[in-house]
Amino acid sequence: MAGKPSTKLDTYQRMRRFNQTPEPSGQAAEKAMARRASKKAQASALSFVIQEHDARRLHYDFRLELDDTLKSWAVPKGPSLDPSVKRLAVHVEDHPIDYGSFEGYIPEGNYGAGSVIVWDRGTWEPQAGSIDEARETYARGKLKFVLHGEKLHGGWTLVRSNMRGNSDKEQWLLIKERDDEARSEADYDVLLKQPGSVMSDSLGARSKSGEVRERTERKNAARQSRASRTTKAAPPPKRPAVKDQGKSPERPRPDIVANRSGESLRTLADNPAIQDAIRAKLPATMKPQLATLVDIAPSSDDWSYEIKFDGYRVLVRIDREAASKAKSTQPRDRCARG
Ligand code: MN
């Protein structure tokens, strides 16, 4: 959508006081753009950048150059190389091109207060077709592209969802395509494996060289505290298993399924030594989890996205003992309307 440049950066500029924040005002970019537009040539590589923004909540700002601005999404959990992982990407205001090399500290009291580093950058191209076609699909809510970054490579998709956040912002999903660059999240969490800035010296240039490292530790701490929030219904595994614990049977038993995200259930399945678990018979009946219709997605980031199919939810369980005793008393329970 080729609006006037001043219109595109309007929101960005309105939200910031450039006498107080070190972020670029976008005016230089607008001038350069005018120069370029007059030359008309120039269509070479388009840039992308992912900035790690340690604001009130740590997130990753994903930005793709298109039409002389950076189309921008805030990705609370950051990118994942796992094609089965869909990361929420909140569409935010266009940013000026020169924001792509911005690192620094946005002072308290300003919009987005906190530190920003360039976590990755490089160029992008449409997966198929021309930039013009990419522009059209973007306007319709879908963009398939290939990244040539220092950390991220291969095919990716950004697609607008029907979810609505608690603001008027569009909620998109960022998804890795299945290709040679894909890795399973359990295998390789790119955010943990490749922390820090890709800009030489980065924040270290301004203070001492320990700065980046310090940030990384803080980030890891933040991720851990988030992780423990996700799993608070049943504390992380790796603790001594059932038999070492039998002391306080009064202790409330953790509900190992309710309140868990799909991700945390997968973690649990990989590490079944659940703290405080008590060996017992399977319950006589179980209820499937049903979808609840809401207008807005939860504000926390420990939830997962799942397509809701209409129909019946069916729970099937394997209970060898019962099966051998009474083969077909209850061969299957059709549980509930989903
Ligand atoms: Mn941000």
Side-chain angles (χ1 to χ4, degrees):
M1 305 164 85
K4 284 236 172 71
S6 52
T7 320
K8 270 188 266 174
L9 289 182
D10 230 28
T11 312
Y12 173 84
Q13 286 162 341
R14 230 183 13 247
M15 292 165 92
R16 291 166 177 80
R17 286 162 292 177
F18 295 104
N19 56 349
Q20 288 181 35
T21 176
E23 297 163 289
S25 70
Q27 270 161 13
E30 282 169 8
K31 281 186 201 132
M33 183 182 351
R35 264 199 309 276
R36 240 182 299 165
S38 65
K39 278 190 208 156
K40 187 65 192 161
Q42 186 96 36
S44 58
L46 297 170
S47 65
F48 88 89
V49 63
I50 298 174
Q51 279 151 322
E52 185 188 292
H53 187 178
D54 200 357
R56 192 166 47 88
R57 178 191 289 274
L58 179 79
H59 63 273
Y60 293 79
D61 290 302
F62 192 99
R63 312 188 197 281
L64 296 174
E65 177 184 357
L66 188 64
D67 293 336
D68 295 305
T69 54
L70 293 174
K71 302 296 172 197
S72 297
W73 292 261
V75 184
K77 291 183 168 184
S80 167
L81 301 185
D82 191 332
S84 69
V85 173
K86 297 167 177 62
R87 288 280 153 89
L88 174 67
V90 180
H91 196 262
V92 298
E93 75 276 12
D94 289 357
H95 279 52
I97 296 287
D98 50 351
Y99 203 96
S101 51
F102 172 71
E103 285 198 336
Y105 193 82
I106 304 168
E108 289 306 323
N110 287 276
Y111 179 72
S115 59
V116 176
I117 62 164
V118 174
W119 180 80
D120 194 19
R121 64 174 174 180
T123 60
W124 74 275
E125 58 186 333
Q127 262 181 48
S130 64
I131 296 287
D132 285 342
E133 287 166 279
R135 179 181 300 116
E136 276 167 35
T137 66
Y138 165 73
R140 291 201 305 271
K142 189 166 191 178
L143 196 55
K144 290 169 94 70
F145 51 94
V146 177
L147 294 181
H148 308 286
E150 293 183 38
K151 295 175 182 173
L152 299 189
H153 310 273
W156 295 77
T157 299
L158 270 164
V159 60
R160 188 163 57 210
S161 76
N162 294 320
M163 306 179 292
R164 275 282 170 270
N166 35 19
S167 69
D168 55 355
K169 294 190 173 107
E170 292 173 356
Q171 303 205 5
W172 293 50
L173 298 167
L174 174 67
I175 310 159
K176 179 78 195 71
E177 292 279 305
R178 292 183 192 280
D179 57 22
D180 290 348
E181 304 295 340
R183 310 267 306 254
S184 95
E185 183 70 9
D187 214 45
Y188 192 87
D189 179 342
V190 68
L191 300 174
L192 289 178
K193 299 284 185 186
Q194 301 194 52
S197 169
V198 293
M199 283 172 79
S200 54
D201 288 340
S202 184
L203 294 174
R206 241 164 291 162
S207 54
K208 42 190 183 297
S209 56
E211 181 74 359
V212 174
R213 196 184 148 69
E214 195 182 300
R215 282 186 45 82
T216 303
E217 277 159 10
R218 263 201 298 153
K219 179 183 73 174
N220 289 345
R223 289 171 67 85
Q224 265 153 26
S225 84
R226 230 183 305 163
S228 67
R229 237 178 296 144
T230 313
T231 51
K232 65 173 174 275
K238 294 265 151 103
R239 300 285 306 273
V242 200
K243 34 191 123 82
D244 306 333
Q245 304 244 346
K247 289 188 187 153
S248 46
E250 314 286 18
R251 201 186 334 217
R253 290 163 59 181
D255 183 338
I256 62 163
V257 174
N259 307 320
R260 271 182 178 268
S261 66
E263 192 180 10
S264 109
L265 278 171
R266 277 190 294 278
T267 309
L268 182 67
D270 290 341
N271 299 278
I274 307 157
Q275 188 198 11
D276 291 344
I278 296 165
R279 190 174 284 280
K281 287 222 152 88
L282 285 168
T285 59
M286 286 193 216
K287 276 207 218 130
Q289 187 175 35
L290 297 179
T292 308
L293 190 64
V294 294
D295 292 326
I296 55 168
S299 57
S300 67
D301 58 5
D302 52 358
W303 56 280
S304 58
Y305 169 85
E306 159 182 286
I307 292 169
K308 178 188 176 295
F309 293 108
D310 272 339
Y312 291 96
R313 300 206 165 205
V314 176
L315 292 178
V316 175
R317 73 185 205 189
I318 299 168
D319 187 347
R320 291 191 176 85
E321 235 174 81
S324 62
K325 275 189 211 139
K327 251 187 210 147
S328 58
T329 358
Q330 259 188 333
R332 83 194 157 163
D333 268 322
R334 199 179 62 181
C335 286
R337 190 80 197 176

